[in-house]
Amino acid sequence: MSAVFLNVAPVFLLILLGWILARTKFVSAKVGDALGEFVFKLPLPLLIFRTLSEADFHGASPFRLWIAYFTGVAITWTAGHLAARYVFGRDAKIGVIAGMSSAFANNVFIGLPLVGLSVGNDGIVALSILIAIHLPLMMIVGTVLMESAAAKVDGGGRRSLAAVLKQVGSNLIRNPLVIALFAGLVLNGLNLTLPSLIRNLVDQIASTTAALALISLGMTLTQYPIRGNLGLAAVTASLKLMLMPACVYVVAHLLNLSPAWTMAIVITSSVPTGINAWLIAVRFRAGQGMAASTISITTLFGVLTVSFWMWLLG
């Protein structure tokens, strides 16, 4: 267990380093936002592109992977929603944010570095396949549920599903991760390889992904202090760090996923909550403090729980 912890700790220490840099104003917090945007638009897409363009899928189908992961999402989201509504007596809008905070993992900025470190290229392939539908599916479901809840709580109408799909689809076709994913699959399918000069350039840029992503995330976390709704936030954080990976682990074994793919999706399901839950909360003006607290609490304790899941899988 101690050896696993020592492998996981550097990931969270890089997050801590970013937080300290921004908190002490040694580096402006605005640099974290700019750095995060850079990682999202160049190194991370190139990492996904390179991995998928060279991957050997061995004829594996993505559907069992998606079923295993999103079964865990559905169970955990429902548990968070029910806890907010019927244990803490919050309204429907807070219920949606609680469910989303419990089940929306930071697959990109924390999941990918961890999976790359612990599983290798097979794990990055699995996670890239997951990322292909994770963000659009989660954002569509979150937005539709929040608009329905807002109509009940605040009154007024709500957008149609078609309108939501149109907005999300418009965002996706410009998303660098989605573009990189499909470009990598096309290159793989055509059995083409990059010229050595281009390949070396891609390798150099992609190799910066993990450190830059984690430091930029740490700098961004200064915007999400632990405040208010601590009881509910503690529950959603516990669901995120323990219930969700447990569900994914069980379903992955029932579906007989390969050890590498099982390890990849269990690890990424155990990482801290992503900022997307907070973005939805801000947009609908509900549960911002609770979502922010969940992000910070899961990041604070994530090093312990991620170590536990990696030890269990090892």
Side-chain angles (χ1 to χ4, degrees):
M1 182 68 175
S2 59
V4 173
F5 178 82
L6 290 176
N7 284 330
V8 174
V11 171
F12 287 86
L13 287 174
L14 283 170
I15 297 174
L16 177 62
L17 173 62
W19 184 85
I20 292 172
L21 290 173
R23 187 69 176 177
T24 59
K25 295 184 171 53
F26 183 79
V27 177
S28 169
K30 294 180 180 179
V31 173
D33 294 333
L35 188 58
E37 181 180 4
F38 169 73
V39 171
F40 183 78
K41 290 185 175 179
L42 190 60
L44 187 56
L46 286 179
L47 173 64
I48 291 174
F49 168 75
R50 183 196 68 188
T51 303
L52 292 182
S53 68
E54 300 174 352
D56 183 354
F57 294 99
H58 303 292
S61 168
F63 292 104
R64 286 184 299 155
L65 182 147
W66 288 336
I67 291 169
Y69 187 85
F70 287 107
T71 298
V73 167
I75 292 171
T76 311
W77 189 313
T78 301
H81 180 87
L82 293 177
R85 296 283 281 130
Y86 300 108
V87 177
F88 291 88
R90 305 301 170 82
D91 64 32
K93 291 170 67 176
I94 301 296
V96 174
I97 297 301
M100 199 171 193
S101 298
S102 302
F104 206 129
N106 195 332
N107 293 332
V108 173
F109 278 66
I110 304 180
L112 267 173
L114 270 172
V115 168
L117 173 70
S118 57
V119 186
N121 274 351
D122 283 347
I124 294 178
V125 168
L127 198 48
S128 299
I129 292 171
L130 175 62
I131 289 171
I133 68 168
H134 179 263
L135 181 62
L137 183 59
M138 296 291 280
M139 293 304 288
I140 288 169
V141 172
T143 302
V144 169
L145 291 178
M146 275 302 289
E147 296 211 352
S148 177
K152 294 176 183 177
V153 175
D154 303 328
R158 57 177 175 173
R159 290 186 300 168
S160 66
L161 177 60
V164 174
L165 291 175
K166 181 179 179 181
Q167 179 191 350
V168 174
S170 176
N171 292 336
L172 284 177
I173 62 175
R174 300 189 301 270
N175 188 303
L177 302 184
V178 175
I179 295 170
L181 186 143
F182 283 104
L185 290 176
V186 168
L187 206 68
N188 188 303
L190 295 175
N191 199 28
L192 298 175
T193 57
L194 295 173
S196 58
L197 178 63
I198 302 300
R199 176 64 163 77
N200 290 337
L201 178 62
V202 169
D203 284 348
Q204 289 186 55
I205 298 174
S207 67
T208 68
T209 300
L212 294 182
L214 294 166
I215 291 172
S216 68
L217 174 64
M219 297 179 73
T220 304
L221 283 176
T222 57
Q223 303 173 33
Y224 310 116
I226 298 175
R227 62 187 180 200
N229 299 292
L230 291 184
L232 179 54
V235 170
T236 56
S238 299
L239 294 173
K240 174 68 208 62
L241 296 176
M242 297 306 296
L243 177 63
M244 185 171 166
C247 293
V248 173
Y249 177 77
V250 170
V251 179
H253 276 276
L254 291 175
L255 295 177
N256 198 31
L257 278 184
S258 71
W261 282 27
T262 296
M263 189 171 186
I265 63 171
V266 172
I267 288 173
T268 199
S269 69
S270 73
V271 303
T273 299
I275 65 170
N276 301 78
W278 183 81
L279 295 176
I280 291 285
V282 170
R283 177 180 171 188
F284 288 92
R285 297 186 296 277
Q288 299 98 312
M290 185 269 294
S293 294
T294 303
I295 292 169
S296 295
I297 293 171
T298 53
T299 304
L300 182 64
F301 291 98
V303 63
L304 299 177
T305 54
V306 169
S307 296
F308 166 76
W309 288 109
M310 287 182 63
W311 169 78
L312 184 67
L313 291 162

